[in-house]
Every structure is written in structure tokens, then in C-alpha cells.
Amino acid sequence: MPSKIKGHGRTGRPWRRKAAEVRASFSPCWLCGDPIDYTLPPNHVWSFTVHHKVPLAVAPWLAHDRSNLVAAHRRCNSLQGDRLGRPPTPTSRTW
Ligand SMILES: [Zn+2]
């Protein structure tokens, strides 16, 4: 039996550490390629967020995998949601 995944992978000390690493890279937005203003307040639409290249909904075990974490604008991140990184399904409507 698979072990229970606690929370959504965005809590706790390991997560905060990884998020800080991504932030410290001062990378441009992985989704749109534009630079991120790292001085913006966290709730700003263009502020920095950590984005999962492979969405947690697809691969929750990659929640803390540094190679799966990239910088993204809050807005871009929320626009993509869980869709990005998921391979396009050939049959989008099977039902
Ligand atoms: Zn962006």
C-alpha cells in the first residue's frame, strides 16, 4: 500500500528550504521566460512562486525534488495550474 502523502507538499521545513533555493537562483519565469521582480510582495500577481514542472497532481513524490522546482510568476503559475508538464493526452474525451 502506498504511504499517505501529507498535505500538499508545500509545507514544512524541507519545502521552505527548497523554495528558498529556487528563490536564491533569481531565475526568470520558467513559464513565460520573463524576468521575475523578486522584490514584489508575495501576494502580488507578478511575484515569485515555486512552480512544479511535473504537477503535484501527477507526481506528488516530486514535490520536494529540486530538479522539479522552478521559479514562476504567481500569475503564470496559477494560470497553468496542474495542466503544465502533463503530456497532452491524445484522447481528450473518452467519455
Ligand atoms: Zn511568467
Side-chain angles (χ1 to χ4, degrees):
M1 295 294 284
S3 58
K4 254 187 182 177
I5 308 288
K6 283 185 181 176
H8 207 60
R10 286 171 184 260
T11 54
R13 231 185 323 172
W15 168 253
R16 290 174 64 92
R17 188 187 176 89
K18 292 288 160 60
E21 280 181 32
V22 177
R23 186 187 180 93
S25 70
F26 291 104
S27 305
C29 176
W30 188 77
L31 296 170
C32 73
D34 284 345
I36 298 173
D37 187 344
Y38 284 83
T39 63
L40 291 172
N43 58 348
H44 194 281
V45 288
W46 294 113
S47 68
F48 158 82
T49 58
V50 179
H51 177 73
H52 291 89
K53 284 196 272 188
V54 182
L56 293 181
V58 177
W61 57 90
L62 291 177
H64 291 167
D65 192 321
R66 180 62 182 84
S67 63
N68 191 39
L69 305 178
V70 288
H73 294 118
R74 172 170 298 282
R75 183 171 178 275
C76 297
N77 202 349
S78 62
L79 278 178
Q80 293 292 336
D82 279 344
R83 283 174 300 163
L84 193 107
R86 180 180 290 175
T89 44
T91 51
S92 56
R93 289 192 183 191
T94 50
W95 41 269

